[in-house]
Amino acid sequence: MSESKIYDLVVIGAGPGGYHAAVRAAQYGARVALIEKKNLGGTCLNWGCIPTKALYASAELVQKIRSHGKDMGVICDLKLDFTKAVERKNNVVKELTEGIGALEKAWKNDVFMGHGKILGGNAKDGFDIAIEGQESQKIKTKRILLATGSSPALIPAFNIDHERILTSDDILHPDFKIVPKRLLIIGAGVIGCEFANIFATFGSKVIMLEYLASPIATEEPMIVKELQKKLESLGVEINVSQNVLSVINTGSGVKATTCSAEIPRDQVESVEKSYFEADYCLVSIGRAKESSNLGLESLGIELERGAIKVNPKTLETKAEGIYAIGDVTGGIMLAHVASHEGDVAVANALASLGGFKIEPRSPDYNVVPATIFTNPNIGSVGIRRNQAKDLGYDLLMGRFPYMSLGKAKCMGEEEGFIMILADKNTYKILGASCIGAEASELIAEIALAMQHGLTVHDVAETIHSHPTISELVLEGMEDVFGMAIHKKGRPILH
Ligand code: NAI
């Protein structure tokens, strides 16, 4: 880099928010630098979405052969090799993270490995940024985008030692190749359930401890019930309403002490306790924002419980010219939301500089699909039934099971169902939840329909290829007005 080089945009953090934003800015002709202190790809590619989905693919294959091998005429002497599955996972991660480096290079973005810290400056004269790493250096930029993400939340009482009491980062470490005989999982949220499915399939006795009265409490209760049934059929023991008081490494295993989550905090000492023992423990109770040591305070950037506060319309922080996106802002902690926010922040940052063919814009969170990779997997978008009621909607619901679908039967994927919520007055789609084969893919069609304000009739009148799993969406939409072909309903004619 020449001494006088001033970047248009420096992005700190190369996760799915940051690396995506850096490419997007380059596509508009900006001079961009990307700073990353650990690995390109961030949590998603290294310790999150991608490695879990690679292991999930192994677990899915095992489950398929176990449940349908014989009746589909594929008879084999099934042997599981978790070490091999982990090695494959490591290769998938390696290839994809290397791909990010190549992508940034192709767009002529400068990538710096080290900890990025804002030293000072302003939107008019530019900002100075230090990169603290093997070779410390300073760079100058007109605009900054903070995309530093999150890390597993740590609670002192859980004594996370990274040996037996682990975070999701530890259990996804390239060298962690153990299938624990008994695995205790604290937190039956998205991460907890995804790992419960993987390790139970590979032979662990999984015991889950969840504080709330239900696992994945953010999903539709009917969907969660179906998932619970499936996890339990794999031998997973789900203990809800558990206040975990402590977890200790006993030397040969782990031991958790709990009491009922209904007991008030000041009375927990005196009540009866329960004890859970296992060989390893995974703590998956949410994530903490990575906002420390970025030089934010001197610039007047505000934090709220570790999250960087931004203007919700522009994603700009209190400091003009500095934007923040993704997990570190504490919003919807999903990779694809971070990428969306990256597009928005890039548009606003470059538009404020002038000279780029780009207009300012705001984020749009009306339609955010979410996917959970348990087997069967879950896809959801829009609002849930209880939210629709709270919002005062007059609700219509369509529901269609996989077992009534020809393609699902051929695939041996008869478990699960789709449910569609629609506004009774307008027939507009308000939300959908699906559990079953390819649920995570199906939800994309509904997201597109919702984003463009389509009605259930608009989707139902669209020809869906036969035989496909996507017909589940078609029949689910038709069931909203009681006219699914493969289900007896009560037609609503109008
Ligand atoms: P989460 O918020 O999904 O679940 C944490 C669970 O732990 C909750 O059910 C909570 O009630 C429980 N919990 C909290 N404190 C507890 C305690 N002291 N004792 C017992 N239970 C306790 O968070 P998770 O699973 O750690 O995931 C983190 C983030 O990563 C989430 O925002 C999630 O959406 C995202 N993620 C997304 C994935 C996907 O899109 N497929 C995959 C994995 C994670």
Side-chain angles (χ1 to χ4, degrees), residues 206-277:
V206 176
I207 304 152
M208 306 186 84
L209 302 177
E210 166 59 47
Y211 186 83
L212 298 177
S214 161
I216 318 192
T218 46
E219 292 296 330
E220 280 288 358
M222 276 199 284
I223 298 277
V224 174
K225 217 165 138 194
E226 186 80 9
L227 172 65
Q228 215 163 334
K229 215 168 65 188
K230 184 60 198 260
L231 287 176
E232 281 164 3
S233 78
L234 292 174
V236 177
E237 183 189 311
I238 306 173
N239 301 281
V240 294
S241 303
Q242 294 290 322
N243 182 357
V244 182
L245 303 171
S246 72
V247 189
I248 54 163
N249 178 343
T250 60
S252 58
V254 294
K255 185 173 177 184
T257 306
T258 75
C259 71
S260 163
E262 276 144 37
I263 307 291
R265 280 185 195 278
D266 57 347
Q267 290 170 30
V268 294
E269 290 300 328
S270 55
V271 297
E272 201 184 325
K273 312 286 187 307
S274 300
Y275 302 95
F276 297 87
E277 292 187 55

Side-chain angles (χ1 to χ4, degrees), residues 51-267:
T52 45
K53 266 77 266 179
L55 291 177
Y56 163 82
S58 294
E60 191 186 28
L61 188 58
V62 172
Q63 289 185 19
K64 185 96 186 170
I65 293 171
R66 273 189 190 143
S67 55
H68 287 296
K70 246 188 205 153
D71 61 79
M72 283 186 167
V74 182
I75 297 151
C76 50
D77 181 12
L78 189 63
K79 283 201 191 92
L80 304 190
D81 183 346
F82 191 63
T83 301
K84 200 87 198 129
V86 171
E87 283 166 5
R88 175 180 172 276
K89 176 266 284 181
N90 294 346
N91 283 334
V92 171
V93 169
K94 187 168 171 285
E95 279 178 30
L96 287 175
T97 50
E98 283 172 0
I100 303 299
L103 202 61
E104 299 297 339
K105 201 168 163 203
W107 283 101
K108 301 201 173 3
N109 288 344
D110 290 334
V111 175
F112 296 93
M113 298 309 289
H115 178 92
K117 184 173 178 179
I118 308 170
L119 296 173
N122 56 57
K124 195 163 146 276
D125 305 320
F127 299 93
D128 291 310
I129 296 184
I131 302 157
E132 298 162 353
Q134 276 184 341
E135 282 173 44
S136 292
Q137 51 190 315
K138 259 194 231 171
I139 56 175
K140 215 169 166 52
T141 182
K142 296 175 188 166
R143 296 289 178 264
I144 296 172
L145 178 54
L146 300 164
T148 45
S150 64
S151 54
L154 309 173
I155 290 187
F158 292 178
N159 298 304
I160 293 174
D161 59 6
H162 309 287
E163 282 179 15
R164 281 197 182 267
I165 307 173
L166 312 170
T167 65
S168 53
D169 285 6
D170 301 322
I171 214 161
L172 287 171
H173 190 281
D175 294 333
F176 190 91
K177 296 173 180 166
I178 303 161
V179 178
K181 224 166 159 196
R182 294 165 306 166
L183 175 64
L184 186 67
I185 299 183
I186 303 183
V190 184
I191 294 183
C193 288
E194 290 191 351
F195 279 108
N197 173 60
I198 292 166
F199 280 97
T201 304
F202 273 92
S204 295
K205 167 71 195 167
V206 176
I207 304 152
M208 306 186 84
L209 302 177
E210 166 59 47
Y211 186 83
L212 298 177
S214 161
I216 318 192
T218 46
E219 292 296 330
E220 280 288 358
M222 276 199 284
I223 298 277
V224 174
K225 217 165 138 194
E226 186 80 9
L227 172 65
Q228 215 163 334
K229 215 168 65 188
K230 184 60 198 260
L231 287 176
E232 281 164 3
S233 78
L234 292 174
V236 177
E237 183 189 311
I238 306 173
N239 301 281
V240 294
S241 303
Q242 294 290 322
N243 182 357
V244 182
L245 303 171
S246 72
V247 189
I248 54 163
N249 178 343
T250 60
S252 58
V254 294
K255 185 173 177 184
T257 306
T258 75
C259 71
S260 163
E262 276 144 37
I263 307 291
R265 280 185 195 278
D266 57 347
Q267 290 170 30

